[in-house]
Amino acid sequence: MLWIIIFLVSMTVAVALFAYLVSRISKFNMMKSLLPKKKIWKILCSMGIILLPTALLSYLWSPTNGVVVLIHLGVIWLLCDLVGWMIQKKKPYHGKCYFAGVTALVTTFAVLSCGWYLAHHVWQTDYIVKTDKNVNGLRIVQFADSHVGTTFHADGFAKHMEAIQALQPDVVLITGDFVDDSTTREDMIASCAALGTLHPTYGVYFSFGNHDKGYYGEAHRGYNAEDLIDELEKNGVHVLQDEVELIRDEYYIIGRQDYSEEQAGNGRKDMDALLQGLDPQKYMIVMDHQPHDYENQQGKVDLVLSGHTHGGQFFPITYVGEWIGENDRTYGFEEREKSDFIVTSGISDWEIKFKTGCKSEYVVIDIE
């Protein structure tokens, strides 16, 4: 339901901004001389000027990215027109140059170029987590939301795995959305093989995200969840579905089924059921793709690692997931009742090739 609402709102905004942009095209002095005199033809030509590059971007990338570019251009142009109107009130300008339109085009190009870089370049983010429990140190590398095929394919993913291996982690935790509905079978298999090149001391662990099992069935992408599990396990990855593993007799790794299973009526174990019979003196790490269940985790476990939010994706709607109660946190570190929570913005992106409210990353967590 949430995604339907987001889709309808986005389409409504896109249509409204498209109409606004069409009305702005004729403001350029050059366009006044080039566009036909009749109003209907002027409107049709203006529509074509907006639709053609949008269609081209939709073809090259995807319709989603075409709409994203259109919305950014419309919002920025509207803001530039507003600022121009305010300046005109203070200091009237009677020249022929449409400064607001030029500024909007340049600003949109700059913002989306920056957003492209933030999505396609991957940073390392470091955290030091303190504990009173009697444990030796542990270095975790966590990543989520690779959505293989969006900002990199299997070869690019393999290079990121090389960088992670160079950090000499004790354990690597993959907190969901490793693949997407658009990830090809070939990319999936090759990316699983890249995970097989990792050699952390205590292994690589995986928990499902909402996209990993696929929304559109096996025929859509040529494999199902069991095929993915087979390839992961073939390459030494421990797949945890509401399961617990103990490493070094000090740390529990608890991999939860994704919240989407609960939404779909398939169910997942609650936190208390997963913790039943575990030694509370041992350090407990939870892998939970969506940061949505803090109330039932805080005070019960030591560290919860999530992804899913993509760090908020776009400014200024970065925290909309928190505002509507869909996420307990959008990004970063937080402590609640002696439980630590970390949400990563993801090593890549779902479908969209821009991030303007965050950056792509993998996370290094040193437990002391």
Side-chain angles (χ1 to χ4, degrees), residues 300-315:
K300 299 177 181 179
V301 299
D302 298 288
L303 178 63
V304 180
L305 303 178
S306 303
H308 183 66
T309 64
H310 296 205
Q313 192 79 46
F314 293 125
F315 176 84

Side-chain angles (χ1 to χ4, degrees), residues 254-274:
I254 305 165
R256 301 195 72 182
Q257 288 279 22
D258 184 60
Y259 175 57
S260 59
E261 298 286 355
E262 191 175 307
Q263 292 174 306
N266 299 325
R268 65 172 181 167
K269 289 184 181 179
D270 61 33
M271 206 65 243
D272 289 335
L274 284 168

Side-chain angles (χ1 to χ4, degrees), residues 246-259:
L246 178 64
I247 62 171
R248 207 170 66 191
D249 199 36
E250 293 178 343
Y251 292 90
Y252 288 117
I253 298 178
I254 305 165
R256 301 195 72 182
Q257 288 279 22
D258 184 60
Y259 175 57

Side-chain angles (χ1 to χ4, degrees), residues 15-303:
V15 169
L17 290 172
F18 171 73
Y20 181 78
L21 290 171
V22 168
S23 72
R24 299 290 94 189
I25 291 297
S26 60
K27 289 284 186 178
F28 288 105
N29 192 51
M30 181 181 70
M31 299 309 299
K32 289 178 182 178
S33 60
L34 292 176
L35 292 175
K37 299 299 180 184
K38 285 189 177 181
K39 188 174 181 180
I40 183 63
W41 289 109
K42 185 180 289 187
I43 292 172
L44 290 174
C45 288
S46 298
M47 289 174 66
I49 291 170
I50 300 298
L51 283 174
L52 283 175
T54 302
L56 179 62
L57 291 175
S58 298
Y59 173 75
L60 293 174
W61 295 335
S62 71
T64 301
N65 284 283
V67 170
V68 164
V69 172
L70 176 67
I71 289 175
H72 274 79
L73 177 60
V75 170
I76 291 171
W77 203 314
L78 185 62
L79 292 173
C80 288
D81 271 342
L82 179 61
V83 172
W85 176 80
M86 293 171 65
I87 294 173
Q88 185 75 1
K89 285 286 186 181
K90 294 283 186 180
K91 190 176 181 181
Y93 168 73
H94 302 290
K96 294 182 178 180
C97 183
Y98 182 21
F99 283 110
V102 173
T103 303
L105 290 170
V106 172
T107 303
T108 302
F109 180 79
V111 167
L112 290 179
S113 294
C114 181
W116 178 278
Y117 181 73
L118 290 172
H120 287 73
H121 183 77
V122 178
W123 280 262
Q124 176 181 319
T125 302
D126 299 287
Y127 296 98
I128 296 176
V129 175
K130 303 286 187 178
T131 178
D132 294 330
K133 291 188 174 180
N134 186 26
V135 296
N136 293 309
L138 191 78
R139 166 162 281 198
I140 300 169
V141 174
Q142 176 216 2
F143 69 86
D145 301 292
S146 46
H147 294 278
V148 175
T150 303
T151 61
F152 50 71
H153 290 277
D155 54 348
F157 180 76
K159 291 179 181 177
H160 294 310
M161 295 306 101
E162 289 176 12
I164 287 174
Q165 179 58 36
L167 295 168
Q168 297 182 318
D170 292 312
V171 65
V172 173
L173 304 181
I174 308 167
T175 49
D177 282 359
F178 170 56
V179 294
D180 205 333
D181 286 281
S182 59
T183 305
T184 65
R185 183 180 182 87
E186 292 74 21
D187 256 353
M188 180 272 286
I189 292 173
S191 296
C192 288
L195 291 175
T197 66
L198 294 173
H199 302 290
T201 311
Y202 304 109
V204 180
Y205 292 81
F206 170 85
S207 63
F208 277 96
N210 54 303
H211 285 278
D212 289 306
K213 294 183 178 180
Y215 281 107
Y216 307 114
E218 180 179 352
H220 180 77
R221 61 183 184 181
Y223 58 95
N224 57 28
E226 291 304 317
D227 295 326
L228 174 59
I229 292 171
D230 287 345
E231 290 298 326
L232 287 169
E233 292 182 340
K234 186 189 299 182
N235 288 281
V237 178
H238 304 254
V239 178
L240 300 181
Q241 300 187 76
D242 281 343
E243 295 170 294
V244 182
E245 285 203 22
L246 178 64
I247 62 171
R248 207 170 66 191
D249 199 36
E250 293 178 343
Y251 292 90
Y252 288 117
I253 298 178
I254 305 165
R256 301 195 72 182
Q257 288 279 22
D258 184 60
Y259 175 57
S260 59
E261 298 286 355
E262 191 175 307
Q263 292 174 306
N266 299 325
R268 65 172 181 167
K269 289 184 181 179
D270 61 33
M271 206 65 243
D272 289 335
L274 284 168
L275 298 178
Q276 189 172 2
L278 302 188
D279 182 355
Q281 300 304 311
K282 291 180 170 58
Y283 195 91
M284 299 181 184
I285 304 165
V286 176
M287 303 165 64
D288 193 3
H289 177 65
Q290 299 190 44
H292 187 78
D293 198 29
Y294 282 14
E295 184 178 351
N296 294 313
Q297 294 167 328
Q298 60 196 38
K300 299 177 181 179
V301 299
D302 298 288
L303 178 63

